[in-house]
Structure formats: structure tokens, C-alpha cells
Amino acid sequence: MISETKKYLQFIFPFFNTKRTKEIFRVNPTVLPVREEATEVEIYVYDYNAEEVKEYELDKVEETFTCRDNNKISWINIDGLRKTDVENISKHFGVHLLLMEDILSIGQRPKMDEIDNVLFCLLNMLYFNDLNGAVESEQISIVLGKNFVISFQEDKSRDVFNQIRDKLRIANSKLRISGADYLCYAMIDLVVDHYYIVMEKLGERIEQLEEEIIRYGNSRSLARINNLRKELIVLKRNMAPVRDMVNGFLRSESDLLQDRTTKYFKDVYDHIVQANDLVENYRDMIMTLQDLYMNKVNLRLNEVMKVMAIVTCLLAPAAVIGGVFGMNFEVIPLTHQQDGFFIAVGLMFIIPLWMVWIFKKRGWF
Amino acid sequence: MISETKKYLQFIFPFFNTKRTKEIFRVNPTVLPVREEATEVEIYVYDYNAEEVKEYELDKVEETFTCRDNNKISWINIDGLRKTDVENISKHFGVHLLLMEDILSIGQRPKMDEIDNVLFCLLNMLYFNDLNGAVESEQISIVLGKNFVISFQEDKSRDVFNQIRDKLRIANSKLRISGADYLCYAMIDLVVDHYYIVMEKLGERIEQLEEEIIRYGNSRSLARINNLRKELIVLKRNMAPVRDMVNGFLRSESDLLQDRTTKYFKDVYDHIVQANDLVENYRDMIMTLQDLYMNKVNLRLNEVMKVMAIVTCLLAPAAVIGGVFGMNFEVIPLTHQQDGFFIAVGLMFIIPLWMVWIFKKRGWF
Amino acid sequence: MISETKKYLQFIFPFFNTKRTKEIFRVNPTVLPVREEATEVEIYVYDYNAEEVKEYELDKVEETFTCRDNNKISWINIDGLRKTDVENISKHFGVHLLLMEDILSIGQRPKMDEIDNVLFCLLNMLYFNDLNGAVESEQISIVLGKNFVISFQEDKSRDVFNQIRDKLRIANSKLRISGADYLCYAMIDLVVDHYYIVMEKLGERIEQLEEEIIRYGNSRSLARINNLRKELIVLKRNMAPVRDMVNGFLRSESDLLQDRTTKYFKDVYDHIVQANDLVENYRDMIMTLQDLYMNKVNLRLNEVMKVMAIVTCLLAPAAVIGGVFGMNFEVIPLTHQQDGFFIAVGLMFIIPLWMVWIFKKRGWF
Amino acid sequence: MISETKKYLQFIFPFFNTKRTKEIFRVNPTVLPVREEATEVEIYVYDYNAEEVKEYELDKVEETFTCRDNNKISWINIDGLRKTDVENISKHFGVHLLLMEDILSIGQRPKMDEIDNVLFCLLNMLYFNDLNGAVESEQISIVLGKNFVISFQEDKSRDVFNQIRDKLRIANSKLRISGADYLCYAMIDLVVDHYYIVMEKLGERIEQLEEEIIRYGNSRSLARINNLRKELIVLKRNMAPVRDMVNGFLRSESDLLQDRTTKYFKDVYDHIVQANDLVENYRDMIMTLQDLYMNKVNLRLNEVMKVMAIVTCLLAPAAVIGGVFGMNFEVIPLTHQQDGFFIAVGLMFIIPLWMVWIFKKRGWF
Amino acid sequence: MISETKKYLQFIFPFFNTKRTKEIFRVNPTVLPVREEATEVEIYVYDYNAEEVKEYELDKVEETFTCRDNNKISWINIDGLRKTDVENISKHFGVHLLLMEDILSIGQRPKMDEIDNVLFCLLNMLYFNDLNGAVESEQISIVLGKNFVISFQEDKSRDVFNQIRDKLRIANSKLRISGADYLCYAMIDLVVDHYYIVMEKLGERIEQLEEEIIRYGNSRSLARINNLRKELIVLKRNMAPVRDMVNGFLRSESDLLQDRTTKYFKDVYDHIVQANDLVENYRDMIMTLQDLYMNKVNLRLNEVMKVMAIVTCLLAPAAVIGGVFGMNFEVIPLTHQQDGFFIAVGLMFIIPLWMVWIFKKRGWF
Ligand SMILES: [Mg+2]
Ligand SMILES: [Mg+2]
Ligand SMILES: [Mg+2]
Ligand SMILES: [Mg+2]
Ligand SMILES: [Mg+2]
Ligand SMILES: [Mg+2]
Ligand SMILES: [Mg+2]
Ligand SMILES: [Mg+2]
Ligand SMILES: [Mg+2]
Ligand SMILES: [Mg+2]
Ligand SMILES: [Mg+2]
Ligand SMILES: [Mg+2]
Ligand SMILES: [Mg+2]
Ligand SMILES: [Mg+2]
Ligand SMILES: [Mg+2]
Ligand SMILES: [Mg+2]
Ligand SMILES: [Mg+2]
Ligand SMILES: [Mg+2]
Ligand SMILES: [Mg+2]
Ligand SMILES: [Mg+2]
Ligand SMILES: [Mg+2]
Ligand SMILES: [Mg+2]
Ligand SMILES: [Mg+2]
Ligand SMILES: [Mg+2]
Ligand SMILES: [Mg+2]
Ligand SMILES: [Mg+2]
Ligand SMILES: [Mg+2]
Ligand SMILES: [Mg+2]
Ligand SMILES: [Mg+2]
Ligand SMILES: [Mg+2]
Ligand SMILES: [Mg+2]
């Protein structure tokens, strides 16, 4: 049982994910960005109105400058963040220095701001990594101006906006006949919708964990509870402030938001409120699992103790009888009888059997 | 005691309800509805005023279209959701696309909305399944327009509105002489009233569980605590937002709500507030039970340990005396005496008896 | 120790009060009243102004109808609820149907309402049952109209208003020279004042329980903690909403409330706020007791384990020495010596004594 | 170990302070004052303006009546409460009956009120009793009128106002050149300042307790945690409402408060807010200590169990070998050899030593 | 195992930091400053506008008096607090006595105030002491007047403003072309930014602790959890009120704050809100670690018990068989057989081996 301890350590170690703790707590949105400059930047522009849509891929941010004053609605999506790019485009489109800082920051809290005729919001797209069960985030900054929307993403390999791209290609879709504010809404809506996908996957993990705890309840379960609590911290941290952010759009009196778009933001608001409720449910459930785990461990301890108590009690008669007849007295009753030995041994077994029978009857095991 | 562990697993497994966890956490109101299209749809219409009431069953939603502008109050109740039905009726009665999405959604958070001269609310009717002790929900969407109320239910086999149907048939009942807003109130009132029925049944389960824990306190109790905590999550999730929903009616300044109906909504508000208080009490009670269970398990462990301690102590003299006289020395006092053996054995029993007597006196057991 | 378990169950069972759980959780204010109609109803009327007071006992509620428009202030107190009585009097004095429903309801949440020129409030008088330590409640509904106050009580055997009756008989007492709103205040004030009496008695139980836990800390204490937690739920449920209720009077702009009465409602408000604070203190204290209990149980387990560890250690030398000299070797040192036996037995006792001495010195027990 | 339990009870009993629980929970501000009438009452008056100050000790409250309308600022301090005194002075200075009730009440929640051109506040001075570690309170009621301040204290032996007395004697001190409102501020300020003294002393007890738990962690520590939790309840109960009270002065629009005094009340407000924060920190710390204590107890249990496991394991070889060679077979190997005994005994000691060596190597102890 | 306890105490004692508790809880901002007068005071002045900047080191505070009315923006930074200095400079620059008290106070809660045409704020710079893992604080008071900013620091050896000094030397930097309010913002911004540095370092400690608990989970871990909980109290206490403080700047309508500076304070507000969120995450994480630690300790206890149960069970057959054949009967089967002994001993080993085999198969260890 000694090597047990060793083996046990090697066994549980991979389940505990301390590296994840490091990732979660190394948050600092205030320092000058230490983000590695993106090596490649992809710039996509959609220029559209109800009648027509044009889709470009551009090489330099400077090529997007015409979008500001063309009479179409322009969606400029920039995948990959390079300091000079963000500075140039911000200067041209009238994005304040502080917002530029936010776009380039890492681990910023979701927020909404209105500075100098521009509506700005920043939030995180969440993805679920099926391999390690981690909630991953990608920061997205959205700038809504008159007839244009600029979005800055960190990672060009993925986002949650394909549905928008599809709808932009459909003439007279709601998206095509509405203004830039509706495009902005549509983006936030899809980000929030994707939170549910992530939560669903996390929910599956919770289910699996519950089953595992009921079945085994070993230290691997403990590691998993630990890991899930960390992922919930990530989830909550990213989702809770989005509520205030969307509320910012609802209360805003900016001319950039048309009255008829309000109901759409109200719809997103419904969903983000519910999503936050759901996170609380998850938290409750994980605490339930933690309690369940502790109770299982206690129960098992109780059983081991019961076994010991029973064995100790069953041994008692044998020990006493063996002791009694093992004494070196000259005169010991039964010792000279032919069947004395068998009587003694018989008692050694009959008394415990009788005790077992009583224990059973009294519901002791 | 080994097969014990096996048996134990098979024994407790049915009590833990991991499938329920799955059901509870698979919530996603944002994706396009994956709801199976209802195979049959039942459409009932009540056309009434103070003087007369007409009750129809219709085959197609299109047949309800005349209800919008007839000069009677119409209650159109649609049991079973089919996408095209909802779209057609929504278009005709002026229900906004976003509300239509809500009607077709699954697991939506209870909400209240005013869009385009229509008051909309969505909440869940709750039922208690006596077989498995689960709280079941059926989503209901209510559209209140000028002189009409449309309600959309998921399941045609049940609802909580029979009391309304009865009252509609009584001439000059409060319901018959009031407007469509009063009908809308009456529906919400009945839904909330039914929450109390469900809570009462859940309360009974809590009582039974308390008794079970006090009597046995085994791992089946643990499973039951676990299950009840899940049902409470369902209950709370469905009831908490209804408070805000009803408050929405109280604060609304819509022309669709007459001033004299406000006091009725205030009455529902009283009840939903109290219902939410009560859920908190249930939660407190379940945590009390959880503590009780843990304390029982600890207490039992203590008793087992006490038994072991006592047996160990009682065996001690026999072990020592047996050891002493079992040694193979040539000169051992008493061994050659006639009654040496009986003295030794006597001591083996008298010392423990004396110890028992002292233990008893000192209140040890 | 087996029959122990049996005896133990019979022993603790009366202390756990599962019936109480049933009573607490069977709350449903929404269904049509299932209250048994009162067999006897007592109606007392006090008609007073500064100069004179008249006190009647009436047989039928219809006899109170003159009180509405006589130019005195009338307190109509109805002990015992009968549906037709409540309906008749409500109709005559202009009490809305919804309020009538509240008066007849059971387990209603304390509330305050203004409908149709009548101020209405409903709350519970609390009593402490010394026999079983339960907090009992009696619902009281107070209707404040122009120059009249009607109060509906459930139980004619008791209330908390004797002080008011005394003061009504004193000419020119504050009560006699003030309006109906002051009478209404005086009633609420006495109800709230009585909450402190109830809390005081509950506080005594908490003190007793604390002493019991410190002294014995057995499963009876556990049952008592359990019971007190339930009573606190009752207390909190009845008192928390009264704060909002009194606040309703403070914010009301009804003509039925004179400006100079506001300070009196402010005084009640002070007390109900403090009472709610105090309930939180009680809750804290009971959680402290629960922790104390658990710690006591753990401590006792530790002591039992220590005893076992000590006995095990003390037996070890005897077991080893007895084993050593009990072996059947031909050549065993000391065995042929005259005092070999005594040396061995001496060691059996000296080694443990030496161990005890060391244990003591090191503070082990 | 039996007498142990007895001794143990006698040992811990003095540390648990159940009488304190009684004191804490016997709060009832609503009943007619049961306060013993003060046997002696001390009345001090300070009549001052910028130029001169006069200090009197008076015998009867009636002698203070001239203070109302003299053109100086008067501080009337009454030590010891007698019903008739309070009634007389209240009548003369225009203090409403309800406030008079508050002055005479016991255990009242700190509050601030404006009735009939008088500003009233009531709070508790706190003292720390070094002997028993209890937080003691003395109720003080302050009445601020035009050019006078009346303060009512319960106990003439102590208060926290000496600093004010000193400053009043200094001509042209801020206090002397300011109005009655500044005097009122100065009193509240000193009461709040003294809260920090009390908290500091309680903080010292927490430190000592922490050290004690780390060193010993016995049931005396448990009693101390228990006692500190009670004192914190007292502290919090007295301090939390003072925040609202001071805020009442900040929001008040009474003419009795000059604009330039507002910043002084803001200063007190800063301190009472911080004091309440600090109480929360104390609470956190005590819960940390409770957790620490429980962990220590668990750890010690673990150690005792480890010792037992080790002794059990070490005895095992001796028991088996002694059993083997103690059997009465005719043919037993080694028994006829000269050194058979020594081989057997050697094994009895070598095997455990070897086990110890392995245990050590594997870090088991 | 006795000396164990001793060694253990010496071993863990250095890890528990009770002195730290003393430091944390000795907070009293209300008493007259007991701060040791600074022996040396360093006074630095930066006089700047867009065109030029002058940097002086002054010997006396009186030399700064010209800064009030020169037409440049002046930053007067005073390192080291001496009562007379603070009084003199406060008098000259119009800082109210109450603010002067705050500047000289110790352990003051972060606050913001507007008195007499001066904006005042006080907060703490935090540093992380890598040696002992403690969060250290240095109080800084900032006075913003027309064209001047005065900052008072406690400790001349360090602050967080070097970045400001660098930027002041760059002509036409944002800082140089903006007003005194921007300088004030820049200082608060840097203080808040540094909170993230401190939190990052604390986060690293949490990571390390998690790894340690997973690996060892001994009483050193317990001490570390204890210490981290204390540091979090410090962190939270210093950071939580800064949110209100910054909000004070956002809501202020002082002429000293230009409209265009508001967005910068909004930026700081974002960061302090997020920092407070993060502290909550840290708290969650430490509670997770505490749970993890307790579970590890329980798990280890379980393992020790399992070992004991197994050894007890394995010894049972040997004890019984040894007892059986050790009895002194004349007729004992097998005893006269040649291989009787070997059969008995064989059984002694075969039965336990068979038990082990069964245990293994059933997954018992
Ligand atoms: Mg920054
Ligand atoms: Mg990211
Ligand atoms: Mg991307
Ligand atoms: Mg959505
Ligand atoms: Mg959508
Ligand atoms: Mg929706
Ligand atoms: Mg435990
Ligand atoms: Mg949607
Ligand atoms: Mg559903
Ligand atoms: Mg359904
Ligand atoms: Mg249905
Ligand atoms: Mg209802
Ligand atoms: Mg009602
Ligand atoms: Mg109803
Ligand atoms: Mg009742
Ligand atoms: Mg009654
Ligand atoms: Mg009262
Ligand atoms: Mg009273
Ligand atoms: Mg009062
Ligand atoms: Mg009173
Ligand atoms: Mg007092
Ligand atoms: Mg005094
Ligand atoms: Mg102060
Ligand atoms: Mg002061
Ligand atoms: Mg201050
Ligand atoms: Mg002070
Ligand atoms: Mg400092
Ligand atoms: Mg410094
Ligand atoms: Mg910053
Ligand atoms: Mg910055
Ligand atoms: Mg920013």
C-alpha cells in the first residue's frame, strides 16, 4: 500500500490541470499590449445595400478607407491584430485612442462605449475545446459608425459569423434592407447564441461527471470537479458583463441606432440574461456534485470501518477461546476429552456465525 | 463485504437520475427551433361578449383570421406548434418576427414584450409527474391584441385552463363582461396558481425524504436529496422570471390594458412573489436535510467506532491473560493449582464485566 | 450494541418533527379557500370618538352596516371567518372582490393594497407554543375605510389587541382623539410588538440548545437544531414581507392616512426592520450551533480513536512478549529460570507503563 | 479515559459562554421600558458661544429649561434615565412622544428621525470589556434643536465625550465658533471613532485565537471561536444601522443643519462605511479560523489513525510468527535447533524494522 | 509518533503568519495620526505646459507656494509626511482641515471628495512583496486644484509614477498638452494598472499552491491557504472602494474636470470594475483549493483506514489457526502428522493470498 501512494500520484496528476489555472489568472488588460503581432492579417469587406452586395478581400487596411464615405453599408472584418493597422484604420474612421487601446488589449472585460460619434463594443466569442474540455475565448471589437461596421478579431481561423455572410448574399434579406446598426446587432446576437452551444457542451461534461461520481467517485472525479469549477469561472467572467454591454445599447440615445432596432437588442438581452441564469444553475449543479462526491467518500469510509468492526468482533471469540485453551495449566477442563478440541474449535466458529445471524437480523449489514 | 460494494452499486443506481441532469441542462433558446413539428394541431376558438359565447373547433389556422376584426372578444387556443401555422397566424394578427421566433423556441426564459400594438408573454405551465417525481413544463405563449388573445401550447393533452372554459360558458361572469386583457390575466393567474399545486407535491416529497433520512439515512436518501436539488433548479428557473414578467404588465402603459385590470395583475404579482419566497424556503429545507443526512452518517460512523473501541478494550484482558499463561516457562504460578485455570478464565471475564460496569456508569454507552 | 440502534431510533424519533415540515410546506394561497367555515363567529364593535365610546357584541354582520356612515369611528372586529359573512360585509363596505378573496385565503403572504377608496392589509399574528416550541400564526386582515376599521381574525380564542381595548375605554387617550388611521396603526404596531415576544421565546430555546450541545451534543441536539431551523423559516416567512407592507403605508398618498400618522408608521417600520435584522442574527446563531454540534461530534470521534490507539499500543508489548515465550522451542531463554515468568510478565506491564509515562509527558493525553 | 470525558466537560465549560447568548438575544425595543429607573441622575450643562463657556452640574431637569431660549448654545447631558425626567424635559423642549419612547427603550436599533422641528438620533456607544472579551453597549439618544443639544446616556460612569469637553474649554476652537449641529456631529464622530478602538481590541483577540488554534487547536479554541462569533453579531448589529443613520443627516434638508456641516457628516460617513467593511473582514477571518480549526482536528485524527495503522502493521509479523511457533504440532521446524528461538524472535523484530525502513523511504511518516 | 507532534509544530509554525493578521486588523483611520513623522521629505515639482517643462527638487514646502498662481500646470509630489508640512501646504492651497486629516491618517478607506474648490482623492498604491508573498500598500492622497496637482506619498523609496515622469519630458505628449485633471487621471490610472501587476503575482502563488496541494496536501498547504485568504482580504479592502472613488469623478460636475477627460476616467472605471471581478475569481479559486485540500486529507484518511482493514483481515486467518493449534488439548488432529505444521502454516498464508486475490478482483484496492 506504499507504492500505492506513488502510483496514485502519477495516476491523478494528469487529471488536475494547474496550467489552466495559470491561463485563467494571468489577466491584465491595462499593460501595453504584449500580444504578438499577427503575422498575417486577413481583411474582408462587404459593401452592400438592398439591391447589391460586393465582397472583397483586401491586402492593406488603407484600401478600406473609401468605405467610410461610400453610400453603401460596409462591413470591414479584420482577422489578426497588428498595431500599425489598428492605428491607421482608427485614425481614418475616427476611433478614439482609448478605444484603439481597448482593441489592442488582451483579456479586457466586455464593455460598450460611445466616444466621438462612434459606438464601440468589445466582447469575447467563446468556443468549447472538445479535447481538453476548456472554454476558449477570442476577443472581438466592433466599431459601429455611420454606414460602416468594423470588426477586429484575434484569430483568422474561426469566428461565429458565417450565418451573417450567408444572409448578406441573399437580396432583400432583413440584413440587406436594414442599416449598419442591424448588422452590429446581428453580430452580437450570434456571439451570444454561440454561448449556448458552449454551455451545452459544458453541460454534457457535468452530466458525465455526475455519472462518474455515482459510479466510482475516485480522485479523478475530484480533479474533474476542480477543472469544471475553473471553466465556470471563465464562462461567468466572459458572460456576466455582456448583460451590461447589451443594456448599454438599449439605453443609448445615439443617432447611430434606429428605434426599430431596439427590439432586436431587447431580444439579445433576453438571451444573455437567460444565459447568465443558466451559468448560476451550472454552479449550483457543480456544488451539488461536490457534496455528492464528499458524501460518497464518507460513505465508503463508513463501509470500510463497518467491515473492520465486523471482522474485529468475529475474531474476538476465536481469540478468547484460543487464549483460554492455550494456557499452560495442568488442569484444564475438556483437554483430556477426546472431542474437547472439536468442541473448542466448534465454539470458535459457531459463536461468530451466531453473531452474524444476529447482526443480519438487526440490519447491521 | 466485497460483493457488498457490487450489490450496493446496483442498488443505488436506479435512484440517481443522471438522465434528468441531461434534460435540465440541454437548454438553448437561441438556435433555430429543432422542435419536431406537431403531427396534429388542435385549434379552439371562443368568441364571446357579455351576451353570448360561441365555441368552435377549427381545422386550419386560416379560419381564425376573421376573429381579428369581428366585434367580439376571441380566444384562439392553438395546441401543437407547426412552423407554417405560427407564421401564417402571426402575419395576419401582426405579431412581429421576433415574437414568432420566441413562440417556436424551446426552453425560452419567461418574458413579456410589447411590439407593434401587441402585448406578448411567454411562460411555462408546470406539472408534477407523480411517477418519477419530476417537474415537467409546457411552454405557453400568449398574444394579447385588440379584442383577441391567441395562446400557443406545446401539448394538446393537457393545460391548466379548464376553469376559464367553465367561466366563459357562464353569462355575465366577470370574464364574460370584461375585455381581452382580463382573459389574458385569467390565464396567467391560473398558470401561477398551478405552480402552488406543483410545489405542494414537491413539498410532500421533501417531507417523505426527511422522514426517510431520520429513519434510515442510507445512500438512497443521498440520491433523493440529489434529485430534489435538481427539481428545485427547474422550479426556480421557471418561476423566478415570471415575477419580472408580471411586473412588466403592471408597469406597461399599453392601451391594451385597462386601468381596472391592474389590480388583478397586482394579485398575480402577490402570488408569484410568494411562490418565489416559498422556493427559497424549499431550498433552505433541502440544505437542512443535506446537513441532517451528513450528520446521521457521521453519527453512525461514531457508533461503529465506539463498538470497535469497546470490543478492543474488552478483549485486552483476555489477550493479556491468555498470553501470560500461555508462555512456556517452567515455573508459572497457579498452573499447578487445581483451580488455576478457572481463576485465569474467571479474570478474563470478570475484568471486562467490571470495565463494562464502569463504562455504563460513566455514560460511555 | 445492536439493540442499541433500535433503541436509538425509538429514542430520537419523537424529537424529530416531520409533521411540522408538512404543516410548513403545505402553503397555497391561490386555491379557493378550503378553510372550514367557522362554526361560531364573534362580532365586536367599538363606536367611539373623543367624548364617548360604545361597545357592542353583535350576532350578525348585517347589524354592523350602520357603522359605515355613523359619524363615529367604528372598529368592527370579526373573529371567525364564514364565506357569506365576509361577502356581505365586503359588499356593504365597498371591499373589492380580490380583497375578499385575500381575506378568505389561507397562508397568504403579508401584503398591503389600495383598491376603491379602501386601504387593505393582511398579516399574521404570531404566537409561541410553549409545549412544542412551534411558532403559530393567525391571519389577520385589516380594512381601513373612512371612519371605520374592520378586522378579520381566524381564531376567536386569542389576539394581541387587549391593549387597544383598554385604551379605547380611556377618554381622551391618544387613540380616542385620533382617527381611524391611528387605530389601524395601533393594531399593526401591536402585531409587530408581539413578534418580539415570540422571538424572545425562540431565543430562549436557542440558548437552551446551545447549553445542551456543549454538555451532551447527542442526536437529540441534532433534532432540535433541525426543528429550530424550521421555526426560523416560519418566522422569516411571516415577518420579512411585513416590512414592505408597512412601507406601503409610508409611501401611500391615500386621503385615509393623515400626515400626522406617518411618524407612527415610521415607528412601526423601525421595529419591523429591527425584527428582521434579529431573525438574521438568530439564523447566524443556529448555524453557529450547527457548526458547534458537528465539531463536538468530530471531537468525540477523535477521542474514541485516541483511546483505541492507546489501548492498541499498550497491548502491543504484551502480545509480542506472550507470543515470544509461547513458542514451542526447545531452547527458550529464561524459561528454565525460577523467575523467568515474573520477568516476562513484569516486562508486559512495565513497558506499557513506561509508554504511558512518555505519552503523558508529550501531552498525548 | 472515562474520567477523561468528565474532566473534559469541566474543563471546557467555563470557556463556552451561554449566558452571553441569553444577553444577546433578549432584545425587545417594543415593550414598555422595563429598565430599572436610575437611582442617581447626573445632569451637566455646557452653555457656550465663541467668547465664553459656562459649565454647570444641575440637580433637576427642570433647571435646564432656561437653556432652550437663552442665546447661547447649550449641551445638556443627562446620565441615567428616569421616566419622569425624560417626560418633563421632552415636553419642555418639544420632543415628540414617540421619540421619548425611543429614549426610554432598551436595545433599540440605531435610527435618525425628524419630528416637529427637532432632529433626533439614537445609537450605541460600544466599549470592550477586557476581562471577558465582550462588546458592551450603552445607548445614547441625541436631540438636536435650535441652539441646544440634549444627550441621554444610560450609564454615568463612562462615555466617549471627554475630547469634546476639552475642546469646549478652548476659546475659538472649531467647536466653540460653530453651531449646535457641529456639536451633534462631534458627538456622533466620537462614538464612531470609538468603534475602531473596540474593533482593534476584538482584532487582537482574533490574532491570539489564530495563534492558539495553530499551536493547540483544542476544544477551548472551539469555545473561543464560538464566543467571537457572538461578539461579532453584537458589533454588526450595532454598527450596520449607523450607516443609514448618518446618511439620514446627509440627506436631511432640516434648517437645523447648516450647509457647511455637511462635509463633517460626510467624514463620519466615510468612517462608518469603512468600519462596516472591517466587520465583514473580521467575519471572513473568523470563518477562516473555523475552517483552520476543523482542518487541524481532522489532521490530528489522521495522525492518530496513522499511528494505529503503523502499530497494527508492525505487530502483524510478531503475531503471525508467535502463532506459528506456538502451535502444538509434534514436528515443527527449527524448534529443536539450538538457535531456533532466536531466529524466530529475530524475524519478529527484523521484519517490522524492515517495514519501518520501507515506510520511511516512501514518505509514509 | 510522539516526537512527531513536536516536530510537526516546529515544522508548520513558520508557515502560519499570525503577525500578518495583526497587521491586517490594526486599522484605525479615526484616531489622531500616530504615524511617525517622516525624517526626510522629498519634494519634487514639475511645472509644465505644452511648450516647456521644468523639474525642481525643493527643500521646503513653502517653496512650492508660487506654483498655485503661476500660469503653468504644477505637479507637486511630496514623499514623506510631516504634520507641519501638510498643514502649511494645505493652508496655502486651500485644502480643508478635514482633507488634511485624511492625508495624515493611516489605513483610510479610499475616497473622493469635493470641498472648497478642490477635488481630493485618497487611495492606496499596492506592491507585492516577493519575499513573504504579502500585499503591501502605500497611501497616496491627490489634491486637484486649478492648474495644480499635489500628491502626498508615505514612502519616498517607491511609487508607480515613473511612466508619468517620462511622458512629462516629451513635448506635446498628451499629458503635456492637457490640463491638471488629465494629470490626476493619469496618476489614478497608473495606480489601478499596478493593481493588475499585484494580482498577477498573487495569481502565480495560487497556481503554485494548487500544484502543491495536488502533490502533497500537507499542513504547509493549509498554512498557505490561510495566508492567501488574508492577502485577498487586503486586496479586496483596498480595491473595492476605488470603484466608488472613480465613479465620484465620473459623476462630479466640478469645473476642475473638463468634459473631454470624462472618457479617460471611464477607462479607469472599466479597469477597476474588472479588477474587482477578478478578485472575486481569486476568492472562488481559493475556496476551490480549500475544498480540494480537505478532500485530499479525507482521501488519505480513507486510504490509511483501507490499509488497516486489509491488514486486519489478512491477519485474521493466522490468528485463528494459530489459536486453534496452540490449544493444549490432548487430541488435536494433524498435530501428530509429519506435515501437519506445514499444512497449518500453509493455510495461514494461502487463505490471506486467496482473500487478496478476491479483493483485487472486486476492485477493493
Ligand atoms: Mg490603461
Ligand atoms: Mg482571447
Ligand atoms: Mg476569429
Ligand atoms: Mg440570439
Ligand atoms: Mg437569432
Ligand atoms: Mg427572442
Ligand atoms: Mg468529516
Ligand atoms: Mg435569437
Ligand atoms: Mg418545455
Ligand atoms: Mg409539453
Ligand atoms: Mg397544453
Ligand atoms: Mg392567483
Ligand atoms: Mg390575492
Ligand atoms: Mg384567483
Ligand atoms: Mg393561520
Ligand atoms: Mg384571534
Ligand atoms: Mg411597536
Ligand atoms: Mg407602541
Ligand atoms: Mg420608536
Ligand atoms: Mg412601540
Ligand atoms: Mg445598552
Ligand atoms: Mg455614559
Ligand atoms: Mg471620525
Ligand atoms: Mg474627527
Ligand atoms: Mg476623513
Ligand atoms: Mg476623527
Ligand atoms: Mg501604507
Ligand atoms: Mg512612494
Ligand atoms: Mg488603466
Ligand atoms: Mg493607460
Ligand atoms: Mg480601456
Side-chain angles (χ1 to χ4, degrees), chain E residues 19-55:
Chain E
K19 227 182 68 205
R20 184 69 179 143
T21 312
K22 199 167 305 187
E23 287 162 27
I24 293 178
F25 287 113
R26 290 256 166 93
V27 170
N28 192 340
T30 68
V31 293
L32 290 191
V34 293
R35 192 199 305 276
E36 261 183 84
E37 292 279 294
T39 46
E40 289 176 273
V41 175
E42 280 184 16
I43 305 167
Y44 278 91
V45 173
Y46 289 76
D47 253 344
Y48 66 93
N49 57 19
E51 291 81 34
E52 57 170 347
V53 59
K54 284 193 193 141
E55 203 177 330

Side-chain angles (χ1 to χ4, degrees), chain E residues 26-27 29 102 110-111 145-146 148 159 162 168-169 171 200 225 250 253 268 275 302 310 321:
Chain E
R26 290 256 166 93
V27 170
D102 286 342
K111 55 167 285 188
K146 192 162 167 53
F148 65 86
D159 68 15
N162 286 331
L168 278 178
R169 288 172 195 131
E200 222 168 61
I225 291 172
L250 285 174
E253 296 177 343
V268 184
N302 272 16
I310 289 165
I321 292 167

Side-chain angles (χ1 to χ4, degrees), chain D residues 295-307:
Chain D
N295 278 316
K296 286 277 295 189
V297 168
N298 272 345
L299 225 92
R300 204 175 300 147
L301 178 61
N302 271 17
E303 261 165 45
V304 171
M305 293 311 301
K306 227 197 270 175
V307 166

Side-chain angles (χ1 to χ4, degrees), chain C residues 210 270 274 277 305 328 330, chain D residues 21 107 111 305 325 327 336:
Chain C
E210 190 188 20
D270 286 354
Q274 184 175 9
D277 283 9
M305 293 311 302
N328 298 318
E330 271 174 11
Chain D
T21 312
K111 55 166 286 189
M305 293 311 301
F325 291 105
M327 292 189 293
H336 302 286

